Structures are given as structure tokens and as C-alpha cells.
């Protein structure tokens, strides 16, 4: 199968145009806070002009059909090109003058990882910080899905692009047409973002801080405008609001849609949601008892800190209100293991996802039964329906490759001079798109001290994690490039 390079280039140009427009939308904050506007203005113009130029040069394309291979290539090229051009505001403003650091910060935003190299966030211009938050909001649902919603206008079907962007396990579609799915996802995403912003302002946050934290909460990204993250706000109300919206952001958006429609029975009948909810509550309560007995700060605060950290790590948001690495050592181990959990498929969260863990455990238990009854037909069931062998094998392959990449990443990053705990935490948090890790990249530290090689490696792992491995790894398979 030949690639439609004109169509691929045209799509990439379109993405850059949208990226440039978003940069220009940050200008009002720079103007309001009496900050220089040339960095965002120039960055937006460069990005939009470059994107529109390559789109114009490749717009006349005989074939309007988007093949599956084209879709994968567009997604990867789209994310990389957006990250390259998205680093311009940092470079031009001088906020992050080094390209490696600027690219790391940008791809951390688009992949909603939240790992940062900024040592003094509050000293950065407000307009640049808003762009930083906006990169996570754009990446949260995926700018690709946004473009899918307008593909029919161009006469191009977007199913291949949507699959490459959100390669979940047979998602339950809300409507048969992919355009309608993308639109509804974005309406939910935008509605929850605005609702959280209003609630945070009611709790005493300024409009600027509220909109920034709403953008990065719904994206499960975790970028904050404060050096101390959410710990800066010593307000139970604000913390509980953010906990709620982190949890919602980690819920399958199809399930959220059913919740808005009042179909709560269908919500609770979803096995992944039940497991996700149970894991969060059970772990939070257990950890709260240990924190309370160890620190004696009051059970409500112990529960709130525990719940906040658990939800933040499980949903891969990465906000912090307490340093979980300073708690008992075995609790640190639990939080490290949570980095491999992930929230729901079909959400903005990263990680392996609860649904894969569910299928993995079910298949493991059934395998023991199959050994005793080799002639029996025992399919894995999810939500009362049999799951095909292909999906089960896909899950097994995904988890195996995920762990293999994790181990390889730890091995490589250890050569950069970091200690073993830091290597474990840095790779786990990058591959899982979480943010804070362990050791010197823990909740109260950042990634500024990581070597350039380490930052490029972690950037690659962020992209792998955000696009769920196969979308990126496919490009390294020689058969992908063969013409047949």
C-alpha cells in the first residue's frame, strides 16, 4: 500500500495552523498583565503561516481516501511537529532558552505528562504559562480528534485517524458516525472544563489560576501556575473540587455521557468503571489510616491527602498536595505501582488502563481453570459479553511490551548518572504520562537536572505512552513501509 504523502502533509499543515491559532489566543493574558506579546504573537504567526503554506501547496490531491497507514503516520508526525513548533514561545520569550528543555516542556504538555524543567514557575510570564496549560488541554482529548470532527467538510473520512489517536479496546461508540463521536467528546470536555473553572473561582481562585488549573485537570496533565502545585491552596474545598474533576477526567467519556443522560444503571454496570471506582476508594481509605496513624494530622486531612494523591496518580494527572515519598516506605512502593495502573480507556488519562488489567487478571484466572478442564470453552467476559481472543492477545502483548520498554528505559536512563530510584520513577512517570516520580524527580522536585540525553529519551517515552505504544512502534517496523 502506497502512502498518500500529499494528504499526510496537508493534514500536518492543518494541525500547525490550528496550533498557531491557539498560540494567538494566549495573547489577551500577556496584554492584560502588561507583558511582551512578541513571543506568542511571532510564534503563532510563524506556526500558522508555515502550516498554511504546506497545506496550500498540497491541498490539490487526487485521492481523498485516508488509509490506515496514513492515519498512523499523520498522528505521529502531527504530535512531533506540534511539539517542535509549540516550543517556539518558550524559546523566543527566553523562558526556556535551550531547545532540548523547551521541547521537553512542550511534549510533556501535549502528552499530558506534566513533567517540568521549570524551577520557578511563578516567575514565568502569565501568557507563556497559559500557553503551557493550553498545550495540555489540546493534548488531553487530542487535537487529532478535533480535526476529525471537521474532516467531512473536506470530503475525507476520519475513522483511521481516530483509531490511531485513541487505540483503545473496542470502544463503545455513542453514535455510529465518527464525526458525531468527536463532537460529543469535545462538548463534554469543554463543558466540564468550564464547570470546574466556575467552581474553583467560587472557592477563591483568581480567574487566571482557575482557568489554568481547569485546563490541566481535565487534560489529566497536572501543570500548575504555582511552584507548590495544588499544595499552594490550603483549601479543602479547592482540593475536593479538583479531586472530583480528576476522577471525571479519568472516567471513560462514553460513561460520563451516559451519566449526563441519567442512565446511572448503565454507568454502574460497566465493569471497568466499577473497578476504577473501587480501587480509588479502597486504596485511599487504607492509605489514609496509615498516614493518620503515622502523622496524626486529623483523619479528614489524612483522608483528603491520601485521596488526592491516589486519584492524581491513578488518573495520571500529577498534581500534588503532599509528598508521598516522605510517607512510609511501603506507601511509596504502592504509589510506584499505581503508576502502572492508569484510569479508564476512553479518558484523557495515560497508563496501561484499568480495562487491560481487568482482562489480564480474568484471563490469568481462567487459564488455571483451562489447565484443569482443557476441553472446556471458557472465554474471558467483560460486562457479561465474551471478549475475542484477538483482544486478549492484544492486551497481553501491550502489557509485555510496556514492561519491556519500561525495563529498557530504566537501563538506559541509569547511564545518565541518576540513582536507581530516580531512574525507576522518571521512566515510569514518563511512559505513564503522570508527572511526578520518585527520587530526585519526586513530587517536590523537577526534571531540570536530567541530562540532555535523558530528556530526549523521556520525551520519546512520553510520546509512546500518550499514543499507547503501537501507534509509534509501528513506524519502526520495516513492513510498515513496504508497498504492496
Amino acid at each position: 500500500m502506497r502512502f498518500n504523502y500529499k494528504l499526510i502533509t496537508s493534514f500536518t499543515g492543518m494541525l500547525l495552523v490550528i496550533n498557531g491559532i491557539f498560540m494567538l489566543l494566549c495573547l489577551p493574558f500577556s496584554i492584560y498583565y502588561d507583558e511582551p506579546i512578541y513571543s506568542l504573537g511571532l510564534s503563532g504567526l510563524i506556526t500558522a503561516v508555515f502550516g498554511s503554506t504546506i497545506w496550500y501547496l498540497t491541498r490539490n490531491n487526487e485521492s481523498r481516501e485516508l488509509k490506515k497507514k496514513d492515519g498512523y503516520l499523520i498522528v505521529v508526525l502531527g504530535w512531533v511537529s506540534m511539539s517542535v513548533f509549540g516550543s517556539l514561545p518558550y524559546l523566543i520569550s527566553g523562558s526556556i532558552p535551550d531547545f532540548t528543555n523547551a521541547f521537553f516542556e512542550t511534549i510533556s504538555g501535549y502528552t499530558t505528562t506534566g513533567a517540568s524543567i521549570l524551577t520557578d514557575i511563578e516567575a514565568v510570564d502569565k501568557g507563556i504559562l497559559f500557553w503551557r496549560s493550553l498545550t495540555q488541554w489540546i493534548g488531553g482529548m487530542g487535537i487529532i480528534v478535533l480535526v476529525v470532527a471537521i474532516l467531512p467538510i473536506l470530503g475525507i473520512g476520519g475513522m483511521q485517524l481516530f483509531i490511531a489517536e485513541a487505540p483503545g479496546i473496542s470502544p463503545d461508540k455513542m453514535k455510529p458516525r465518527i464525526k458525531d463521536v468527536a463532537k460529543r467528546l469535545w462538548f463534554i470536555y469543554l463543558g466540564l472544563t468550564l464547570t470546574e473553572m466556575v467552581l474553583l473561582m467560587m472557592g477563591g481562585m483568581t480567574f487566571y489560576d482557575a482557568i489554568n488549573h481547569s485546563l490541566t485537570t481535565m487534560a489529566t496533565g497536572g501543570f500548575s501556575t504555582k511552584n507548590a502545585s495544588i499544595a499552594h491552596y490550603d483549601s479543602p474545598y479547592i482540593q475536593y473540587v479538583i479531586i472530583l474533576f480528576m476522577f471525571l477526567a479519568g472516567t471513560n467519556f462514553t460513561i460520563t455521557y451516559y451519566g449526563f443522560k441519567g442512565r446511572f444503571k448503565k454507568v454502574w454496570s460497566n465493569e471497568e468503571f466499577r473497578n476504577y471506582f473501587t480501587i480509588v476508594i479502597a486504596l485511599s481509605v487504607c492509605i489514609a489510616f496509615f498516614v493518620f496513624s503515622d502523622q496524626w494530622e486529623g483523619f479528614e486531612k489524612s483522608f483528603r491527602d491520601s485521596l488526592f494523591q491516589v486519584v492524581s496518580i491513578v488518573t495520571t494527572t500529577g498534581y500534588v498536595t503532599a509528598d508521598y515519598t516522605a510517607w512510609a516506605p511501603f506507601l511509596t512502593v504502592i504509589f510506584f505501582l499505581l503508576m502502572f495502573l492508569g484510569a479508564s480507556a476512553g479518558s484523557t488519562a495515560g497508563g496501561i488502563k484499568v480495562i487491560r488489567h481487568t482482562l489480564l487478571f480474568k484471563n490469568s484466572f481462567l487459564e488455571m481453570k483451562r489447565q484443569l478442564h482443557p476441553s472446556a470453552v471458557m472465554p474471558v467476559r467483560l460486562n457479561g459479553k465474551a471478549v475475542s481472543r484477538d483482544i486478549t492477545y492484544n492486551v497481553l502483548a501491550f502489557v509485555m511490551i510496556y514492561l519491556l520498554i519500561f525495563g529498557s528505559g530504566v537501563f538506559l536512563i541509569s547511564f545518565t548518572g541518576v540513582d536507581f530510584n530516580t531512574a525507576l520513577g522518571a521512566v515510569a512517570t514518563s511512559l505513564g504520562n503522570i508527572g511526578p516520580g520518585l527520587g530526585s524527580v519526586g513530587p517536590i522536585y523537577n526534571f531540570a537536572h536530567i541530562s540532555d540525553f535523558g530528556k530526549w529519551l523521556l520525551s520519546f517515552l512520553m510520546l509512546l505512552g500518550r499514543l499507547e505504544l503501537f501507534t509509534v512502534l509501528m513506524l519502526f517496523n520495516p513492513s510498515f513501509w513496504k508497498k504492496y
Side-chain angles (χ1 to χ4, degrees), residues 205-218:
M205 264 196 192
T206 63
F207 170 75
Y208 177 79
D209 287 340
I211 191 172
N212 274 273
H213 286 100
S214 299
L215 292 174
T216 57
T217 300
M218 288 311 304

Side-chain angles (χ1 to χ4, degrees), residues 76 81 115 132 151 172 188-189 202 282 314-315 338 359 366 412 448:
V76 176
S81 60
R132 180 172 175 260
L151 290 185
D172 184 11
I188 294 171
Y189 192 52
M202 290 172 61
V314 169
T315 62
L338 285 179
L359 290 175
L366 277 178
L412 291 173

Side-chain angles (χ1 to χ4, degrees), residues 164-352:
E165 168 67 11
I169 303 171
S170 185
D172 184 11
K173 297 173 187 174
M174 292 177 285
K175 274 198 170 184
R177 296 180 64 186
I178 197 69
K179 178 189 71 171
D180 296 323
V181 175
K183 283 183 177 179
R184 292 206 175 200
L185 290 177
W186 269 96
F187 276 126
I188 294 171
Y189 192 52
L190 179 61
L192 288 174
T193 302
L194 294 175
T195 303
E196 184 189 0
M197 182 187 72
V198 172
L199 292 175
L200 289 177
M201 290 176 65
M202 290 172 61
M205 264 196 192
T206 63
F207 170 75
Y208 177 79
D209 287 340
I211 191 172
N212 274 273
H213 286 100
S214 299
L215 292 174
T216 57
T217 300
M218 288 311 304
T220 64
F223 275 160
S224 176
T225 56
K226 304 298 180 183
N227 292 327
S229 189
I230 306 303
H232 176 88
Y233 302 97
D234 190 18
S235 165
Y237 171 83
I238 286 176
Q239 292 178 15
Y240 279 121
V241 167
I242 291 177
I243 287 171
L244 172 63
F245 282 89
M246 284 194 296
F247 183 84
L248 290 175
T251 303
N252 186 315
F253 273 49
T254 305
I255 299 301
T256 304
Y257 171 75
Y258 289 138
F260 286 149
K261 297 288 287 185
R263 301 171 66 179
F264 300 114
K265 186 176 180 180
K266 191 171 182 64
V267 171
W268 190 247
S269 66
N270 183 272
E271 203 167 339
E272 183 189 29
F273 178 78
R274 289 202 312 271
N275 292 341
Y276 168 50
F277 179 83
T278 303
I279 289 170
V280 166
I281 297 300
L283 275 176
S284 299
V285 172
C286 292
I287 292 173
F289 275 107
F290 286 109
V291 174
F292 174 70
S293 62
D294 186 48
Q295 300 189 11
W296 294 99
E297 289 189 304
F299 187 75
E300 186 279 328
K301 187 177 188 309
S302 298
F303 174 74
R304 178 165 29 101
D305 284 345
S306 302
L307 179 63
F308 192 101
Q309 267 54 242
V310 167
V311 174
S312 181
I313 297 299
V314 169
T315 62
T316 71
T317 306
Y319 283 144
V320 292
T321 57
D323 182 6
Y324 54 79
T325 61
W327 292 347
F330 78 93
L331 292 181
T332 302
V333 174
I334 290 176
F335 279 105
F336 173 69
L337 294 176
L338 285 179
M339 293 179 185
F340 294 88
L341 182 60
S344 304
S347 71
T348 58
I352 294 176

Side-chain angles (χ1 to χ4, degrees), residues 39 89-98 117-118 123-125 128-129:
S39 56
Y90 300 120
L91 294 170
I92 295 176
S93 68
S95 301
I96 308 177
D98 177 71
I117 56 88
L118 293 175
V124 178
D125 287 353
I128 299 297
L129 281 185

Side-chain angles (χ1 to χ4, degrees), residues 451-471:
S451 68
D452 284 355
F453 169 77
K455 286 169 185 167
W456 284 108
L457 174 62
L458 296 178
S459 296
F460 177 68
L461 293 178
M462 291 178 202
L463 187 65
L464 272 177
R466 177 63 181 88
L467 299 181
E468 300 212 349
L469 307 187
F470 295 128
T471 304

